[in-house]
Amino acid sequence: MGAINLSQRGVRQEKRIRVSQPSTRGPSAFIPEKEVVQANTVDERTNLLVEEYSTSGRLDNITQVMSLHAQYLESFLRSQFYMLRMDGPLPLPYRHYIAIMAAARHQCSYLINMHVDEFLKTGGIAEWLNGLEYVPQRLKNLNEINKLLAHRPWLITKDHIQKLVKTGENNWSLPELVHAVVLLAHYHALASFVFGSGINPERDPDTSNGFRLISVNNFCVCDLANDNNIENASLSSNFGIVDSLSELEALMERMKRLQEEREDEEASQEEMTTRFEKEKKESLFVVSRAFDDDIVSTSDVSRYIEDPGFGYKDFARRGEEHLPTFRAQDYTWENHGFSLVNRLYSDIGHLLDEKFRMVYNLTYNTMATHEDVDTTMLRRALFNYVHCMFGIRYDDYDYGEVNQLLERSLKVYIKTVTCYPERTTKRMYDSYWRQFKHSEKVHVNLLLMEARMQAELLYALRAITRHLT
């Protein structure tokens, strides 16, 4: 990995780190300020990373929360910097406009505002910020793939790819398209992290551009007024019975039992398939009834997207489309996706690979107050459950473990953060793993974000591979 020296190429600017002052205390509405600040004061490395790899020159709220996991933060910032600033197929303003389009699918005003600034700083045409009707046709042509990647990536086919690469004067080259897909998947997944971690708006944004028309999400200020329409039952069903401490002990006990059972007997291939299909089907009904009233996209965000009502939930509710199973063995990131990305968009494959491995293997061997715990099983269940919701199945994984390890309030949280992050509430965040540290919940969010990004990439890259063959 040492071959990629990001600081020597790309567009550099003189950096002065400014720590953002959010409008409510601390970088997150979900995490007490002192927990994040303590981590930051200790870690001088975070400041060096920001100096090296931040495009805005500020220690923003996302970075402050992620710095609870400094090792991961470095991987994240390196890959993000590479896709935004280093040599690559797309012009710099395009990169930020694509980030805006991706964030708009989830009405993530935090990311939209950030990239409106960056778009203008990198020489973007201000008029484009009035909405999609003002942008070149080839950018507009990304609409469909943005929409499908964000909400139902399993619908992406080689036809979508062909349409983009064969549209005459507005066509995309394959390297450009791969760059765009990586950016879209990155910012869809980052929106999940922003909402899942309750990231607060920055308090001192540069308003010099006159285009700061996106109102700040009100989710963290009033703890989401719409909290009431989530079925109370789905969040509090078994909390009356077990207090949170015994909840932790029960989880550890289940992990131990699963480990022993694993050593004793192996389920048949047929049984494993059945368990996956059952889990996939059940995942469709987690919280789907709680969202009967559609959230209407606010106009200042919807200017960057088409078909704002399109989402994951439609498919779950109506059941008219069958969610096909994507057998992970047939198209894996390691054997297929990685090499395709690297071939078409140089070093990004290495950087993404390092980031995926980092988050999957990241552990401090602790669970709440317990030390020397092997959490591999838990991390795998979280990652695979996200992939399960997107129809991706690992033949060698027993999906019965998901049901044993992830209690309902955690499944509600995962489903919301992954599929409709803009609906995440503090109450959902608080309702699961109540004995665990905030840094452990941020670790969960990092896993969900990377699992989601990888799922989107697998579907898009598989379609590109089919187009090529």
Side-chain angles (χ1 to χ4, degrees):
M1 269 303 307
I4 307 168
N5 185 344
L6 299 188
S7 59
Q8 288 170 6
R9 311 196 326 250
V11 178
R12 303 296 290 157
Q13 55 193 31
E14 195 188 332
K15 307 270 182 175
R16 288 197 315 280
I17 299 175
R18 293 168 303 164
V19 177
S20 306
Q21 301 300 313
S23 52
T24 54
R25 291 173 63 78
S28 160
F30 296 175
I31 304 168
E33 184 179 17
K34 62 179 187 300
E35 294 218 13
V36 182
V37 172
Q38 274 166 357
N40 286 336
T41 47
V42 182
D43 197 13
E44 189 49 39
R45 186 157 149 234
T46 302
N47 287 336
L48 292 171
L49 285 174
V50 170
E51 218 171 307
E52 188 76 8
Y53 299 128
S54 163
T55 54
S56 64
R58 68 159 80 224
L59 178 58
D60 60 42
N61 292 341
I62 292 179
T63 311
Q64 287 187 66
V65 171
M66 276 189 192
S67 69
L68 290 166
H69 301 282
Q71 255 183 308
Y72 169 83
L73 177 67
E74 181 163 2
S75 271
F76 173 85
L77 288 175
R78 278 165 64 92
S79 59
Q80 182 172 262
F81 185 78
Y82 189 89
M83 58 184 92
L84 290 175
R85 284 292 180 275
M86 303 301 290
D87 301 342
L90 293 174
L92 298 188
Y94 261 62
R95 303 180 193 193
H96 291 291
Y97 202 87
I98 290 168
I100 292 168
M101 288 171 71
R105 285 299 335 166
H106 290 302
Q107 301 159 47
C108 186
S109 52
Y110 178 93
L111 289 174
I112 292 172
N113 286 335
M114 179 183 271
H115 288 280
V116 162
D117 280 344
E118 300 271 319
F119 172 76
L120 292 167
K121 279 182 194 154
T122 52
I125 297 165
E127 193 187 15
W128 292 11
L129 297 173
N130 290 325
L132 286 178
E133 60 269 37
Y134 297 88
V135 305
Q137 186 60 42
R138 62 197 294 262
L139 259 183
K140 220 182 287 184
N141 290 349
L142 280 183
N143 252 313
E144 186 71 7
I145 206 163
N146 181 25
K147 176 177 95 172
L148 294 178
L149 264 183
H151 308 295
R152 305 182 213 172
W154 55 89
L155 294 179
I156 293 175
T157 65
K158 66 177 185 181
D159 296 343
H160 294 107
I161 306 303
Q162 266 151 4
K163 223 182 267 179
L164 287 164
V165 297
K166 293 185 175 165
T167 42
E169 63 195 81
N170 298 314
N171 71 317
W172 288 76
S173 71
L174 278 174
E176 286 173 332
L177 185 55
V178 167
H179 194 171
V181 159
V182 167
L183 284 163
L184 289 171
H186 176 79
Y187 283 102
H188 294 152
L190 191 54
S192 281
F193 183 83
V194 167
F195 287 115
S197 307
I199 300 292
N200 272 327
E202 307 289 340
R203 195 163 74 190
D204 59 349
D206 301 335
T207 41
S208 54
N209 59 57
F211 274 92
R212 185 162 301 284
L213 303 170
I214 308 297
S215 55
V216 165
N217 295 340
N218 62 352
F219 75 99
C220 51
V221 185
C222 58
D223 191 13
L224 262 188
N226 75 354
D227 222 1
N228 309 327
N229 64 21
I230 303 295
E231 302 162 51
N232 293 344
S234 70
L235 294 176
S236 54
S237 51
N238 35 16
F239 289 148
I241 310 159
V242 281
D243 64 25
S244 56
L245 199 58
S246 56
E247 183 185 67
L248 169 67
E249 301 305 330
L251 175 58
M252 296 203 55
E253 189 51 49
R254 283 197 299 277
M255 285 170 70
K256 197 171 143 213
R257 197 177 65 240
L258 280 170
Q259 192 57 52
E260 288 161 3
E261 284 171 10
R262 213 191 254 175
E263 286 156 14
D264 289 349
E265 53 169 319
E266 207 148 284
S268 69
Q269 206 50 53
E270 204 177 341
E271 176 60 21
M272 301 267 265
T273 308
T274 309
R275 288 175 190 177
F276 170 77
E277 291 300 333
K278 180 170 179 280
E279 198 55 54
K280 182 175 77 170
K281 198 169 174 193
E282 282 179 7
S283 79
L284 304 183
F285 299 104
V286 172
V287 298
S288 58
R289 280 176 308 159
F291 298 144
D292 282 339
D293 48 338
D294 289 329
I295 290 183
V296 181
S297 185
T298 46
S299 59
D300 48 5
V301 174
S302 59
R303 71 178 82 170
Y304 298 120
I305 53 173
E306 283 172 5
D307 197 0
F310 185 90
Y312 179 100
K313 61 188 181 298
D314 298 353
F315 134 76
R317 194 187 304 163
R318 298 198 192 109
E320 64 210 19
E321 290 169 33
H322 173 60
L323 171 52
T325 293
F326 179 129
R327 288 182 69 251
Q329 279 67 12
D330 297 341
Y331 196 93
T332 64
W333 164 255
E334 292 78 10
N335 299 334
H336 306 93
F338 168 77
S339 53
L340 178 68
V341 167
N342 253 13
R343 196 172 89 223
L344 292 169
Y345 176 23
S346 60
D347 290 324
I348 194 67
H350 288 292
L351 290 161
L352 293 176
D353 192 56
E354 182 192 287
K355 184 162 65 84
F356 292 147
R357 286 173 196 273
M358 171 70 70
V359 80
Y360 198 77
N361 297 318
L362 184 68
T363 183
Y364 306 93
N365 296 313
T366 61
M367 269 175 69
T369 49
H370 295 263
E371 294 184 358
D372 298 320
V373 186
D374 182 355
T375 59
T376 311
M377 183 184 282
L378 202 49
R379 283 177 279 130
R380 195 171 179 195
L382 289 162
F383 199 91
N384 287 2
Y385 185 58
V386 171
H387 280 197
C388 174
M389 289 187 297
F390 289 106
I392 299 172
R393 172 182 174 229
Y394 296 87
D395 285 353
D396 61 347
Y397 184 68
D398 179 357
Y399 288 85
E401 292 190 6
V402 164
N403 254 345
Q404 294 283 312
L405 298 173
L406 311 182
E407 32 104 7
R408 181 161 170 83
S409 61
L410 176 51
K411 281 184 170 179
V412 167
Y413 177 78
I414 294 170
K415 174 80 179 272
T416 309
V417 168
T418 307
C419 301
Y420 0 74
E422 60 278 14
R423 297 160 184 241
T424 311
T425 66
K426 183 173 189 301
R427 184 153 137 234
M428 285 178 190
Y429 173 91
D430 289 339
S431 72
Y432 83 92
W433 285 7
R434 290 169 305 160
Q435 282 297 308
F436 283 67
K437 297 189 279 286
H438 286 287
S439 61
E440 291 172 312
K441 291 191 167 193
V442 170
H443 187 180
V444 169
N445 287 340
L446 295 175
L447 270 164
L448 303 184
M449 168 172 76
E450 295 297 353
R452 177 181 180 184
M453 181 177 185
Q454 194 181 93
E456 289 191 25
L457 284 178
L458 284 173
Y459 278 111
L461 296 173
R462 182 179 68 166
I464 291 171
T465 298
R466 286 176 174 173
H467 160 73
L468 287 168
T469 47

